[in-house]
Amino acid sequence: MKKSKFFTAAALAVCLTALSACGSSSSKTDENAVNLLAISGPEAVGAVDADYFLLAEPAVTAQSKKGYSIAGDIQALYGGENGYPQAVIVAKKSLVEHEFVGALVEKVQSAAEWLKTASATDIVNSVSAHMDDSGSATSLKAPMLSADVISRCGVRFTYATESKDETIGFLREMMEVNASATAIPQDEFFWDGECVESGALDEITVCMPDGAPALALAQLMHEDTADDGITYKVVNPSLIASKVTYKDMDENADVCVLPVTAASKLLGSGEKYEMLGVVTHGNLYLISKDGEQVTADNIEDLEGKTVGVLQINQVPGLTLKTVLKKYGMEYKEITNL
């Protein structure tokens, strides 16, 4: 019973924060604002009335069979040399100075190049073989993983020290649209890159959410052997935070890929985990059947339009709201029409 009350209160707090940031939700669209409609999943694309939908690759390309195509690149709209960090990789504090972490990072650095030459079948099979729930299937499908789709998934490793400023800057912008969505991590959270320890380690567990973050570690899973002491687990994205939040640290993943918001909010003190680096930068896109292409030059044309948004109060929705705010545009959350 106590647990039920806790989640009810937490849900209420989230709703109140969202209302304070954007105004009350309504069933009516506003001609002077971008109307954001929460959708439950990619299956809602086309099932609800919207001019555009916001999804991440590779789910974006999967919608092509419904007649949708890319109409806007959120990474490009955000701007900047490096864009925004989307998923980061963290390791337990007890591991960060061990040579294992250095070797792991070197392999993650080569992931983007490996993806360029690996077959789509090898990539999908590597991920499928490491699903945390053996009864579930990866969302990655070989027919959809063309070179262009993989490139749009934003797999690119940058060290924590190199991406610290852009990470903090992005989080600050997100907190301007939802103050409780994340937190600003402490300096101790950012790994300094030093690996001075060696020696044997116990079994290592590496977890990551399904989708683009799994692509960032697909090479490691492809080369995995039964006797290397490493267990890779591809997790439903909705459950990935649970892999680092057990009270007993022994139950938690030794290494984990998380959305930058969750990693910073849950682990940003640097007491239990440190961020090794960013593994995926922005891979969010607007799709439409007949909407015009949305660029920095005409983004104001989104006013009065409805955008169906997956995970409206998490990274996708918060990123879109952050981009709209950068352009001085009003947005309004609406209920299903």
Side-chain angles (χ1 to χ4, degrees):
M1 183 64 70
K2 289 183 178 179
K3 187 173 183 180
S4 175
K5 289 181 178 179
F6 170 79
F7 280 109
T8 300
L12 178 60
V14 170
C15 291
L16 290 175
T17 301
L19 290 174
S20 67
C22 303
S24 300
S25 294
S26 168
S27 62
K28 296 182 179 180
T29 58
D30 187 335
E31 293 183 356
N32 298 311
V34 183
N35 299 282
L36 308 181
L37 173 64
I39 61 173
S40 58
E43 66 278 0
V45 174
V48 298
D49 187 17
D51 301 289
Y52 297 89
F53 290 90
L54 178 75
L55 295 174
E57 276 285 28
V60 163
T61 298
Q63 301 307 314
S64 61
K65 60 187 177 182
K66 298 181 183 177
Y68 287 87
S69 59
I70 292 176
D73 182 345
I74 302 301
Q75 177 88 341
L77 290 170
Y78 180 82
E81 183 178 351
N82 295 313
Y84 57 89
Q86 194 156 323
V88 302
I89 185 168
V90 301
K92 283 182 178 178
K93 192 87 170 177
S94 57
L95 278 179
V96 293
E97 293 187 358
H98 197 278
E99 61 185 2
F100 161 78
V101 168
L104 178 75
V105 166
E106 285 184 10
K107 187 64 71 171
V108 174
Q109 277 186 297
S110 69
E113 289 301 313
W114 182 80
L115 290 170
K116 290 179 182 178
T117 58
S119 72
T121 299
D122 281 347
I123 294 170
V124 172
N125 287 346
S126 299
V127 174
S128 295
H130 294 86
M131 298 299 293
D132 188 33
D133 178 1
S134 59
S136 64
T138 175
S139 62
L140 302 174
K141 307 300 178 187
M144 294 293 179
L145 284 183
S146 67
D148 286 341
V149 171
I150 290 174
S151 69
R152 289 196 295 268
C153 286
V155 176
R156 186 177 80 254
F157 181 83
T158 53
Y159 279 96
T161 50
E162 297 172 357
S163 54
K164 177 180 178 180
D165 290 344
E166 69 183 42
T167 298
I168 291 177
F170 182 54
L171 293 171
R172 289 192 190 282
E173 290 176 314
M174 276 195 165
M175 292 179 71
E176 289 180 8
V177 300
N178 187 333
S180 66
T182 185
I184 303 303
Q186 302 297 309
D187 290 343
E188 293 78 9
F189 182 58
F190 297 93
W191 180 54
D192 62 12
E194 291 189 11
C195 297
V196 296
E197 297 178 4
S198 60
L201 288 172
D202 294 330
E203 292 286 323
I204 299 292
T205 300
V206 180
C207 294
M208 73 219 76
D210 190 22
L215 289 177
L217 274 69
Q219 180 183 9
L220 284 80
M221 291 185 281
H222 180 70
E223 298 173 356
D224 185 31
T225 62
D227 59 355
D228 64 3
I230 306 173
T231 299
Y232 296 96
K233 295 183 178 182
V234 180
V235 181
N236 184 306
S238 66
L239 301 176
I240 192 63
S242 68
K243 301 300 181 179
V244 295
T245 52
Y246 291 108
K247 289 184 178 180
D248 183 352
M249 280 296 289
D250 289 339
E251 295 186 47
N252 288 322
D254 298 293
V255 179
C256 192
V257 178
L258 294 159
V260 63
T261 48
S264 299
K265 186 171 185 176
L266 298 173
L267 311 172
S269 67
E271 294 178 3
K272 297 180 179 179
Y273 286 86
E274 290 185 20
M275 172 182 149
L276 307 179
V278 178
V279 294
T280 64
H281 286 72
N283 61 359
L284 295 169
Y285 297 87
L286 292 171
I287 62 172
S288 178
K289 279 189 175 180
D290 48 22
E292 67 176 325
Q293 291 292 309
V294 179
T295 68
D297 294 329
N298 69 353
I299 190 172
E300 67 276 1
D301 291 344
L302 283 177
E303 288 184 356
K305 301 291 196 305
T306 298
V307 182
V309 182
L310 181 64
Q311 298 180 327
I312 197 167
N313 290 312
Q314 298 177 47
V315 170
L318 292 170
T319 302
L320 178 58
K321 293 173 185 177
T322 297
V323 167
L324 293 174
K325 188 174 186 301
K326 284 171 74 77
Y327 287 88
M329 299 182 65
E330 297 292 328
Y331 58 85
K332 175 184 178 181
E333 292 188 24
I334 61 173
T335 55
N336 202 350
L337 301 176

